[in-house]
Amino acid sequence: MSTGTEEDGRTRDAGHGEDDGPAAGARRAARRDAAVRAAVAQGLLGPGHPLVALLDVTGIRESAAGLREAFAAVTPPGTPVLHAFAVKATPLVPVLRLLHTEGIGAEVASPGELALARAAGVPPERTVLDSPAKTPAELREALALGVAVNADNPQELARLDALAADSPSGPGGLRSPVGIRVNPQVGGGTIEALSTATATSKFGVALRDEGAREWVVRAYLDRPWLTRLHTHTGSQGIALPLMARGVAETYALAEEINRRAGRRQVDTVDIGGGLPVDFTSDTAGPTYARYARLLKETVPGLLDGRYGLVTEFGRSLLAKHGTVVARVEYAKSAGGRAVAVTHAGVQVATRTVYAPAAWPLRIAAYDAAGRPKAGPVVTQDVAGPACFAGDLLARGIPLPLLEQDDHVAVLDTGAYAFAHHYGYNSLPRPAVHGFTVHPADGADGPDPVDGPDHTGDPDHTGGPKHAGGPEHAGGPEAPGDGVAFALVRPAQTAEELVAESGGAHADALLR
């Protein structure tokens, strides 16, 4: 497990903003503690509802502000900058709507993700379509809407040529900004599966392959409507200097294209996302501010105002602001080790269960009332409900001894976790609630009129929702513990699960 070093890209830092260090981490933890206690007190967690996912609305807003401020600090006023959230990280419409209200657009990589962004009200001009396998229909829809498109390869560009020729405004008369994704082939990080700038990556045009760079330049010279250039070096496990090197290689290519074109044809560089997350503490780092400063030092010409910028961060915006909370159904021992059997496992933390060395998650212990659990620390396993031996969230972890009816919180799961349900054993999707903690409760946070009601009521037509039991989710309830909840996604019912599994076609194979 990484300890947060410069080499593997998980360096601990002050947080996403200049003042976002250990103190900000402590405030996040205090809000989380208040939310867990309130979830139990208000009935979101209980014997009939043993699993829930929570999103910290205040934390999400703070991360969005930190991102905007970091790049505003290194670019001249008036520089066009679009921060497009990687929808794959947390594909939930209320989350996308909240980020939209905070000035963040959407990066989508499938028809489903584009539909989610549109449902959240993200305008086409603040949406970017990336995917290595776009169909003609997907390209046609994006171009008709005016969504920016990054072509992945020569064959996709040929499809775009045909669509551009058929444009109602004539050849090249596209509404959408269009660019090409390039792979600078600068190398990988500590997690191979997330390293997208290796020599043999499936993404983009491999710039160091023979003839590839010249092909890219000629593609732009032959197509005046190509105005963007895109790269993405990777995400978790990528060191910041390697990320910056990939951006520098892409900037150099943009400069070459413009020099040979004799004009500023490439006017926007999409630098992708990939800022890694420190999963070892409550500190949010490395920071956007630190990365932006590194880019300013490494690629000053990119940030001097001559180019527009697009970023595509995902995990770093949401991970720290999500928590899965599960009841301990049984406490037992095996081979002399304590084992807490909970309702959170592979279905909500798939990567951690199948690849624990690459994706360790922190676990926090709470008592039956949802209060942080005290007591002597005991080495124990935290197990999930799935029917295979490896369904463990943590092995040999030191925690106060977990007992039946206690709770465990799986931290830093706001991205690529509970929003990506894995249907092993037909386990249902848990409910997801946004929360805001009133300042009077001891943790900072905006007044609820500026908080979770925006998540549950994106048109801001209703007041804050203080959630009671899940059967009341979505409607106004009595307040409790100074925490206001808003339903983001209801728990999946048995009827919905059966319907998704072909229940309406039970006799289909008997014919």
Side-chain angles (χ1 to χ4, degrees):
M1 173 176 171
S2 167
T3 56
T5 61
E6 176 68 29
E7 287 73 20
D8 72 0
R10 294 178 183 173
T11 309
R12 294 181 185 174
D13 206 320
H16 281 54
E18 294 294 350
D19 60 347
D20 189 0
R27 291 194 296 271
R28 277 190 289 272
R31 291 197 299 267
R32 179 178 66 236
D33 288 349
V36 173
R37 184 175 69 249
V40 175
Q42 298 182 27
L44 298 183
L45 270 169
H49 312 287
L51 179 66
V52 71
L54 304 175
L55 285 168
D56 180 356
V57 176
T58 298
I60 295 170
R61 290 180 184 275
E62 290 176 346
S63 284
L67 172 57
R68 296 194 320 269
E69 292 163 4
F71 280 83
V74 297
T75 53
T79 301
V81 180
L82 169 63
H83 298 296
F85 174 66
V87 172
K88 66 180 73 67
T90 312
L92 297 169
V93 171
V95 169
L96 306 183
R97 184 61 173 267
L98 174 64
L99 289 171
H100 172 48
T101 67
E102 294 297 313
I104 308 297
E107 183 266 334
V108 302
S110 72
E113 289 183 356
L114 177 56
L116 295 179
R118 296 187 69 190
V122 181
E125 63 270 18
R126 299 188 62 78
T127 305
V128 180
L129 175 62
D130 292 318
S131 164
K134 306 180 195 74
T135 66
E138 291 170 46
L139 292 170
R140 191 175 297 111
E141 179 185 21
L143 297 179
L145 291 170
V147 168
V149 175
N150 289 317
D152 180 82
N153 56 70
Q155 292 175 343
E156 183 181 335
L157 187 59
R159 285 179 171 175
L160 287 167
D161 283 337
L163 292 169
D166 292 339
S167 169
S169 15
L174 299 176
R175 295 176 53 196
S176 299
V178 180
I180 295 175
R181 177 171 182 168
V182 296
N183 171 11
Q185 294 175 294
V186 293
T190 60
I191 303 177
E192 182 180 2
L194 299 187
S195 299
T196 56
T198 59
T200 57
S201 171
K202 73 177 187 179
F203 292 102
V205 178
L207 277 185
R208 298 185 184 183
D209 284 14
E210 185 176 357
R213 188 183 189 93
E214 180 62 22
W215 178 87
V216 171
V217 174
R218 290 303 324 172
Y220 278 82
L221 298 181
D222 293 342
R223 298 167 180 83
W225 44 268
L226 285 175
T227 60
R228 290 190 175 185
L229 193 60
H230 172 46
T231 193
H232 176 71
T233 299
S235 50
Q236 193 69 14
I238 302 293
L240 264 61
L242 187 63
M243 291 171 60
R245 185 177 159 203
V247 172
E249 295 277 348
T250 306
Y251 164 73
L253 178 59
E255 290 281 276
E256 179 181 349
I257 293 168
N258 288 346
R259 183 174 62 253
R260 290 178 60 177
R263 62 189 181 87
R264 195 168 68 94
Q265 178 171 336
V266 176
D267 59 22
T268 301
V269 177
D270 183 337
I271 65 172
L275 193 73
V277 171
D278 179 4
F279 286 102
T280 68
S281 76
D282 280 312
T283 299
T287 66
Y288 293 123
R290 179 179 165 199
Y291 181 46
R293 287 195 301 268
L294 178 62
L295 290 176
K296 186 71 171 178
E297 296 166 3
T298 307
V299 205
L302 178 62
L303 303 177
D304 64 8
R306 291 179 298 127
Y307 289 92
L309 291 177
V310 177
T311 72
E312 300 177 356
F313 297 105
R315 179 181 288 106
S316 55
L317 275 166
L318 260 292
K320 286 291 179 186
H321 311 307
T323 304
V324 172
V325 190
R327 288 184 83 241
V328 176
E329 196 66 41
Y330 300 108
K332 56 195 289 189
S333 66
R337 177 176 292 179
V339 180
V341 181
T342 80
H343 290 271
V346 70
Q347 84 277 34
V348 290
T350 310
R351 288 176 171 177
T352 296
V353 168
Y354 284 128
W359 298 103
L361 288 172
R362 293 179 298 138
I363 306 293
Y366 294 84
D367 65 17
R371 298 169 302 213
K373 181 144 190 172
V377 170
V378 175
T379 298
Q380 55 199 299
D381 291 350
V382 179
C387 290
F388 68 99
D391 188 24
L392 297 169
L393 291 175
R395 304 164 191 252
I397 187 173
L399 288 172
L401 182 63
L402 290 164
E403 301 170 282
Q404 189 175 36
D405 298 333
D406 282 346
H407 297 88
V408 297
V410 192
L411 311 184
D412 303 335
T413 49
Y416 299 104
F418 57 75
H420 299 70
H421 185 79
Y422 176 46
Y424 199 101
N425 280 148
S426 296
L427 292 165
R429 291 187 295 270
V432 180
H433 296 267
F435 71 87
T436 298
V437 180
H438 295 208
D441 201 49
D444 67 325
D447 186 87
V449 75
D450 292 321
D453 59 307
H454 292 187
T455 306
D457 178 23
D459 291 320
H460 305 185
T461 57
K465 295 171 176 56
H466 302 269
E471 67 274 12
H472 303 298
E477 301 296 330
D481 277 356
V483 178
F485 290 103
L487 183 66
V488 172
R489 183 187 69 191
Q492 186 180 31
T493 67
E495 292 76 17
E496 290 168 337
L497 197 152
V498 169
E500 283 189 5
S501 301
H505 310 280
D507 294 334
L509 303 181
L510 303 181
R511 298 177 181 137

